[in-house]
Amino acid sequence: AGLVAGAERHTTPFAHDPCAYYRIVVERTDGAVVLEVSSADELMLTDGSGASVLVPLAGARWVSPRHLELASTPSAPHEGLDAWLGERGVAREGAVRARVAWIEPHELVFVRGLVTSAGEDASDYRGAERARLEIRATPEHPVLLSLAPLGASASAS
């Protein structure tokens, strides 16, 4: 777990809240992903004493995220979502659903993943004040992100 550090500030699309990171997934009603957009490829977390962890966000699974859901259908179009898709060269065909998830600046984030690097001098990273950990996702060890503590049986949503 750590606080978001050093991230570029963004505004969450559609929610207009300040954020350090956002991800938008647009799907058709059959579950096929039409478009996925994120504001960054990685997230740096710090424990406040100088130790940090670099978390890759590509392919990370979110557990209990803060999110906003939007829908646009032929009978009830969402002008903002349709315009946003159009700006990215995607024409809505049929009904779509967008899920916007975001992490606020300096927010406490919980991560579960495989630590692959603990820096040069961090043979025991738990005792090294300035340890710089890196996490990597593998098929056996996916990266999980949460805004709440991850229990032993956490599953991704």
Side-chain angles (χ1 to χ4, degrees), residues 30-100:
D30 63 3
V33 175
V34 174
L35 181 66
E36 184 171 347
V37 176
S38 63
S39 62
D41 296 328
E42 55 193 29
L43 193 63
M44 179 68 71
L45 303 178
T46 181
D47 70 354
S49 69
S52 62
V53 61
L54 184 64
V55 181
L57 297 171
R61 292 190 248 167
W62 289 53
V63 179
S64 64
R66 170 187 306 102
H67 68 278
L68 170 69
E69 291 196 28
L70 307 168
S72 186
T73 66
S75 61
H78 187 288
E79 291 180 17
L81 177 56
D82 291 347
W84 184 84
L85 288 169
E87 290 168 4
R88 284 150 186 80
V90 177
R92 178 183 51 79
E93 295 177 11
V96 295
R97 176 180 69 127
R99 184 178 177 111
V100 183

Side-chain angles (χ1 to χ4, degrees), residues 98-156:
R99 184 178 177 111
V100 183
W102 68 94
I103 298 171
E104 295 178 353
H106 308 292
E107 184 160 38
L108 180 61
V109 177
F110 298 85
V111 178
R112 180 180 297 156
L114 179 65
V115 174
T116 59
S117 171
E120 300 171 15
D121 59 346
S123 58
D124 181 7
Y125 67 87
R126 294 164 296 196
E129 288 184 14
R130 300 207 183 273
R132 182 177 174 114
L133 307 175
E134 293 184 19
I135 292 178
R136 180 179 54 134
T138 67
E140 302 83 30
H141 302 282
V143 172
L144 298 179
L145 291 173
S146 178
L147 300 179
L150 290 163
S153 62
S155 62

